[in-house]
Amino acid sequence: MKARICAALLAVVSCVAVHVRPARAADAVDLGAFVRRDAFTDIKLSPDGEFLAATVQREDRTGLVVLSRKDNRVVSAASLGKNNHVADFWWVNPERVMFSVAQKLGSLDLPQLTGELYAMNADGSKKENLLGYRVESEGPGTRIQPKKAEAVAGYLVDTLPDDDRNVVVMVRPFGELSYTRAEKMDVYSGRRVLLARAPVQESDFLTDAAGIVRFAYGRTSSNANQLYYREGDGKEWQRINDEMDTARVEIPLGFGTDQRVVYLSVEQSDGPDAIVAMDVGTGQRKDVLRNANVDPDAVLSSLDGKGVPTAAVFFDGKPSVVPLDPQHGDARLLRALQETFPGEFVEVTSTTRDGKLALVQVSSDRNPGDFYIFDVAARKMDYLLSRRDWLDPERLAPSTPIQLKARDGLVLRGYMTLPRSGGEKNLPLIVYPHGGPYGVRDRWGFDSDVQMLAAAGYAVLQVNFRGSGGYGRAFQQAGTRQWGGTMQDDLTDATRWAIQSGVADPKRICIYGASYGAYAALTGAAKEPDLYRCAAGNVGVYDLPMMHTRGDTQEARWGRTYLRDWIGEAKDLAPVSPTNMATRIKAPVFLAAGGEDERAPIQHTELMERRLKAAGVPVEASYYPTEGHGYYKEENQRDYYTKLLAFFSRHLGGATAK
């Protein structure tokens, strides 16, 4: 079946089943296994089980493909051009699929939703731009205009499983601090009918089982979250939480089976977020789930399509699924699936409307994702396809959760990945801080860069320093205005922990990252010149005052607020900018950047290179003029990783690329 599915997808994307033996430390690394794109990103069953819809990555775009499940042939495909990506998609009835659009100006850039919603039939017919700024009217020849050509963005709220014709969407007028609307939209014509107006700016909405808008939550001009509730259509909004008063954010997750209880994600004054059940009639609250270490990473909804929250996913080290009600049928099914694939993370991504078939994803630190069709009644599992079936999980490196204390006693968590050859002690180490940095975290799962570095013979250390997401409000806010401060100290402390534990050879440690991770790498080399043998930064920000004048972050109100509140005022940032610490760096440096990067403009890297050269620091730099915040073109990826591995090899002794 692997071969048949790959052949069907071949018309859209390369899908070659090749098993690759990852290199030992002494071998050259085959980059092809790591830079080759996933055969697809996500895949979902149609409500009747007749079709599969999948997102497929191309060089600089992501398209949508529909397959016939009966014979695995491609039925239709849709793509929207350069830098346009199908962000998510939903089967709204057995024949029609709707999808949202995002734009990315580089492979590492966070997708920015455009607010456009498209729909098409499974056979590719009746493709329509239903909502968004590129919607076109029917022209001057008719007074009947089903779709409105207006400057708005739209986002799905509810697919309305019992209504094959309509969905509920949130409509946001262009402009800052806009008041949104909840509207019912026809998925064929795009015609919309007003359901509710938001009581607070930038609101999203939550509906009940009948599709009635009951909750609204958004942010005020002071950037404070507010949560509102109403009893039903036409009823007045009641404010039930204001972050300015409670110092916490509350987000509604969904109604319980009886529609009397709503589940909320509630920040806590200390420690991780909790899932709370609130009686909408009395307002009484009860804590339902709370992990001691991490926030709920995701909340799973019932497999019957009714949107009832049934379980939460926690990435406390490795992921676990904890049911809200252990006796619920979904909970029993998830337990059975997990027992079938021990040591891996099992998710049900979609089901048929009758609940007889489920699409199951199985993934891990060494498995990018295998998919199976599960016959619920027969308890029969049939393999469907894999994201990267050319990789053999048994030959990849395992990632182990770690825990340590920072110098001020704060508990830090992360992951250590050891190469499959070379033992477990006295290894060359790459410290690999994540980007973001705020609200972002490293999770247990497959990471292509980590596996590539492990294949070259390196141990890889990932630590969720303060400011990272997933550990509660206080942990994230502890990183406020700490670029070059305690956030950097956390990385230093983790590096020293790796030495003290015996894993890392203290004379063979490099620090490397992208975006914020690149900033942390260069700052680490400056603040701890005797700790790191080398440093490498990709698409980095190195001159923090420049962030206030260049790049797309400072162009929007939220971005200016983010820069001021989380990073700091421009006048205060020069001392913690690597461009002004170049004379303190002793270790050789490798830099890379894209010429069209709007998130971290190339001027950051160019200035960093000049300052390093002026300070007499050995520096190599690679520039890719047509790339953005990360590299799309395979030839550029190969060139970048070839140079990066060669740089590490010269200073740490690991393998190069072949």
Side-chain angles (χ1 to χ4, degrees), residues 214-252:
R214 301 287 294 279
F215 282 88
Y217 52 102
R219 289 194 171 272
T220 66
S221 57
S222 58
N223 207 32
N225 179 274
Q226 290 183 344
L227 175 64
Y228 286 80
Y229 166 75
R230 67 177 189 168
E231 294 180 356
D233 279 336
K235 301 295 184 179
E236 293 294 322
W237 289 109
Q238 306 169 43
R239 189 168 66 206
I240 60 176
N241 183 66
D242 188 329
E243 186 182 2
M244 294 292 288
D245 298 329
T246 63
R248 66 173 181 261
V249 172
E250 298 185 354
I251 303 295

Side-chain angles (χ1 to χ4, degrees), residues 125-198:
S125 64
K126 298 182 180 179
K127 178 183 171 184
E128 293 285 345
N129 184 352
L130 300 174
L131 177 59
Y133 72 99
R134 285 186 281 197
V135 165
E136 297 180 359
S137 70
E138 298 297 322
T142 177
R143 296 176 61 187
I144 302 175
Q145 300 288 344
K147 293 183 291 185
K148 299 177 182 178
E150 54 183 334
V152 297
Y155 308 91
L156 181 69
V157 174
D158 189 346
T159 59
L160 299 177
D162 296 327
D163 184 345
D164 281 351
R165 186 86 196 184
N166 298 289
V167 296
V168 177
V169 294
M170 180 266 277
V171 179
R172 179 185 179 276
F174 280 8
E176 297 182 348
L177 293 176
S178 59
Y179 282 87
T180 59
R181 311 184 297 268
E183 298 181 348
K184 182 179 286 189
M185 183 178 72
D186 187 305
V187 296
Y188 290 90
S189 68
R191 186 185 300 275
R192 306 196 310 268
V193 177
L194 179 67
L195 297 177
R197 296 184 185 276

Side-chain angles (χ1 to χ4, degrees), residues 271-272 290-295 316 403 411 413 470-472:
R290 191 183 185 203
N291 183 280
N293 300 319
V294 297
D295 299 338
D316 188 3
Q403 178 178 311
V411 175
R413 295 175 172 84
Y471 299 94

Side-chain angles (χ1 to χ4, degrees), residues 238-401:
Q238 306 169 43
R239 189 168 66 206
I240 60 176
N241 183 66
D242 188 329
E243 186 182 2
M244 294 292 288
D245 298 329
T246 63
R248 66 173 181 261
V249 172
E250 298 185 354
I251 303 295
L253 304 172
F255 281 86
T257 304
D258 62 3
Q259 301 296 293
R260 289 287 301 172
V261 169
V262 68
Y263 293 101
L264 307 173
S265 175
V266 179
E267 290 184 336
Q268 306 296 303
S269 59
D270 186 37
D273 301 351
I275 296 179
V276 175
M278 185 184 78
D279 187 306
V280 296
T282 66
Q284 291 184 333
R285 296 177 173 222
K286 177 183 177 182
D287 284 2
V288 177
L289 280 182
R290 191 183 185 203
N291 183 280
N293 300 319
V294 297
D295 299 338
D297 194 80
V299 173
L300 307 181
S301 296
S302 54
L303 302 180
D304 59 10
K306 300 298 184 182
V308 175
T310 56
V313 179
F314 295 95
F315 274 80
D316 188 3
K318 294 184 179 181
S320 62
V321 178
V322 182
L324 295 173
D325 177 6
Q327 302 308 312
H328 192 283
D330 287 6
R332 293 193 295 271
L333 174 60
L334 288 171
R335 279 199 302 271
L337 291 173
Q338 189 63 62
E339 290 170 359
T340 304
F341 298 96
E344 300 199 80
F345 182 37
V346 182
E347 304 171 86
V348 177
T349 67
S350 55
T351 64
T352 53
R353 187 170 291 177
D354 60 13
K356 293 182 178 180
L357 295 178
L359 188 63
V360 177
Q361 176 181 243
V362 179
S363 61
S364 72
D365 51 344
R366 295 178 290 167
N367 180 3
D370 295 330
F371 284 78
Y372 298 81
I373 295 291
F374 180 55
D375 186 320
V376 176
R379 291 295 194 266
K380 180 183 177 184
M381 190 86 71
D382 290 324
Y383 171 83
L384 181 62
L385 74 170
S386 301
R387 284 200 176 96
R388 298 191 181 191
D389 63 359
W390 56 88
L391 290 176
D392 182 357
E394 295 300 319
R395 294 183 177 274
L396 296 178
S399 296
T400 303

Side-chain angles (χ1 to χ4, degrees), residues 425-429 498-499 502-509:
K425 299 292 183 180
N426 207 38
L427 297 169
L429 176 72
I499 296 172
V503 172
D505 179 347
K507 296 181 179 180
R508 293 190 295 165
I509 302 175

Side-chain angles (χ1 to χ4, degrees), residues 400-404 413-418 428-434 442 450 453 458-464 490-499 501 503-504 509-512 532:
T400 303
I402 61 167
Q403 178 178 311
L404 62 124
R413 295 175 172 84
Y415 299 92
M416 179 71 81
T417 303
L418 301 182
L429 176 72
I430 304 289
V431 180
Y432 187 45
H434 64 68
D442 288 313
V450 170
L453 292 170
Y458 305 115
V460 183
L461 173 62
Q462 298 169 277
V463 60
N464 288 316
D490 289 347
L491 292 170
T492 301
D493 294 345
T495 305
R496 289 178 173 151
W497 168 87
I499 296 172
S501 68
V503 172
I509 302 175
C510 285
I511 184 168
Y512 159 59
Y532 300 109

